[in-house]
Amino acid sequence: MVTESPRFTVDEALLATGFGKFQLFLLAYAGMGWISEAMEMMLLSFVGPAVQSFWGLSSHQESLITTVVFAGMLVGAYSWGVVSDKYGRRKGFIITAVVTSLAGFLSAFSPNYISLVITRCLVGLGLGGGPVLSSWFLEFIPAPNRGTWMVIFSAFWTVGTLFEASLAWLIMPRFGWRWLLALSSLPSSLLLIFYKMTPESPRYLCLQDRKTEAVSVLEKIGKTNGRTLPSGILVSDHDSAEPHGKTHLLSPTRNQEQTLQGSFDSKVDSKAGGMSSLLMLFTPELLKPTLLLWVVFFGNAFAYYGLVLLTTELSNGQQICKSVKLQAEKSQDVNYKDVFITSFAEFPGLLIAAATVDRLGRKLSMSAMFFSCCIFLLPLAFHQPEGLTTILLFGARVCITGTFTVAYIYAPEVYPTSVRSTGVGVASSVGRIGGMLCPLVAIGLIQGCHRVAAIILFGAVSFLSGICILLFPFETKGRDLSDTVSGTKQIDPPKKQKQLPLQV
């Protein structure tokens, strides 16, 4: 009788080493990237009107400054996802950091409108790499802690929006929009400074058959956290799917299926780029969750950015249908203050997501918050007192923030390591389309005296997104992450695992 060497997977290694100082450093690094993206998106609310006044632009030209950022993100989200799946997570997010910081800083020196549009489009291209950082951080978290810590990671977005509102409040009246653009590019630069200290994802290394490097990273995690790795040999999902000595229990047909599937995974994983990785999203195992995720990401972005714009439009009370024009003479301090206060609605959304994501699960958390968002939105179809309007908008933004947060947790868990960044990147790209379309509804319909139609449309999109979540084929709460497409077939309920306390 041959004695086998013990084996362990990346998930088992992460469970043994726990969540500690090592992951806290990664959280700070990835969180800085999330802050950077939030700041670059938030500053559009302040720079657009200032540039319009400075260069005498039309409203169409002003809106184009925002549109090109979303267009750049649409391309970047897919492109950087493919790059990180093919060449590694670290290469993916370092390129995006370089593009974002350089283009953001150069945009502050734009001599004319055309150059500003071009540099802001490049900023959007770099910002499209945000999902790469979230996927990278996710791959270092033990399964029992994953939901809670990804919610905490999402909180950095809210920190970024509040910081940008504070920065604009301080900088714009004194120094102008160029200084705001330059200062807002600094967080991306910090990613470059600390880049050498960041490790490659052990999941990616293991999938690329670079197991020695993967073990080295896992040992560093254990040493930093004061834990030890399990004894034995590190194996990937495909290696551990069929333990030695058990092959005879499988029928020849099943053996051939696994061999063919493993061969398919290996071939595509080795290419893992361009059309090959995109086509993997349409395999039988991934087709349904992919299409449903696209609807959810579209609905999330459409509703989230729409609510931000609705807050401004509906705050005008009964004067919504009157001709609206920008008033440069109006005290801008009040506008900054309003944006700063409404941004606090995201904190309750994060708290609700944190409280429910690992207890109720991803599907129930998202669907409940989408349906709740509809309940808050529908009364806004009719004129309400100003105080009640504010409360309803606040509640709707709480809910949509919660769904956005959980969606960015669920999406990377659905996809295997071989196409994780590509899958999340493409879904994020679809979401950017929603972000590009929502201003036409939030501003066009509201100002055109079609308030009821606008609110019903936002409510319908939210409701449809909630229905799509209920149709997701499986729940990912507590499940180990899969490395290959064939691994996504294993959708059995997860075994209960002992939650490890945080050791710092």
Side-chain angles (χ1 to χ4, degrees), residues 118-186:
I118 293 173
T119 52
R120 295 316 296 176
C121 183
L122 290 175
V123 168
L125 185 68
L127 293 177
V132 176
L133 271 173
S134 63
S135 296
W136 173 72
F137 176 62
L138 176 96
E139 292 176 352
F140 284 92
I141 310 176
N145 306 105
R146 204 160 55 220
T148 301
W149 283 104
M150 287 304 292
V151 171
I152 294 174
F153 166 73
S154 299
F156 282 89
W157 177 278
T158 302
V159 172
T161 60
L162 291 174
F163 186 73
E164 184 66 24
S166 304
L167 190 64
W169 198 351
L170 178 66
I171 297 297
M172 287 286 286
R174 296 173 177 81
F175 304 104
W177 58 273
R178 293 186 185 275
W179 276 92
L180 183 65
L181 287 174
L183 293 174
S184 298
S185 67
L186 294 181

Side-chain angles (χ1 to χ4, degrees), residues 85 89 207 268-269 272 276-278 280-281 286 415-424 483 485:
D85 280 335
R89 311 310 192 217
L207 187 66
V268 182
D269 291 344
S276 60
S277 58
L278 181 62
M280 285 182 71
L281 304 181
L286 298 178
Y415 292 111
T417 304
S418 55
V419 290
R420 180 165 295 125
S421 292
T422 299
V424 179
D483 288 333
V485 173

Side-chain angles (χ1 to χ4, degrees), residues 14-16 18-19 141-149 152 227 354 357-359 362 477-478 495-503:
L14 292 175
L15 195 62
F19 191 108
I141 310 176
N145 306 105
R146 204 160 55 220
T148 301
W149 283 104
I152 294 174
R227 300 286 188 89
V357 68
D358 279 331
R359 290 178 174 83
R362 283 56 162 154
K477 181 184 74 171
K495 297 178 181 179
K496 287 190 176 181
Q497 303 182 53
K498 183 178 179 181
Q499 182 126 359
L500 296 176
L502 173 65
Q503 295 201 357

Side-chain angles (χ1 to χ4, degrees), residues 364-385:
L364 184 56
S365 297
M366 283 191 287
S367 58
M369 285 186 280
F370 261 127
F371 294 143
S372 298
C373 182
C374 294
I375 295 173
F376 282 111
L377 277 174
L378 291 180
L380 293 173
F382 310 97
H383 291 296
Q384 305 291 344

Side-chain angles (χ1 to χ4, degrees), residues 221-241:
I221 296 174
K223 183 179 179 181
T224 305
N225 292 350
R227 300 286 188 89
T228 57
L229 290 180
S231 59
I233 302 171
L234 176 65
V235 294
S236 64
D237 279 355
H238 180 65
D239 295 331
S240 61

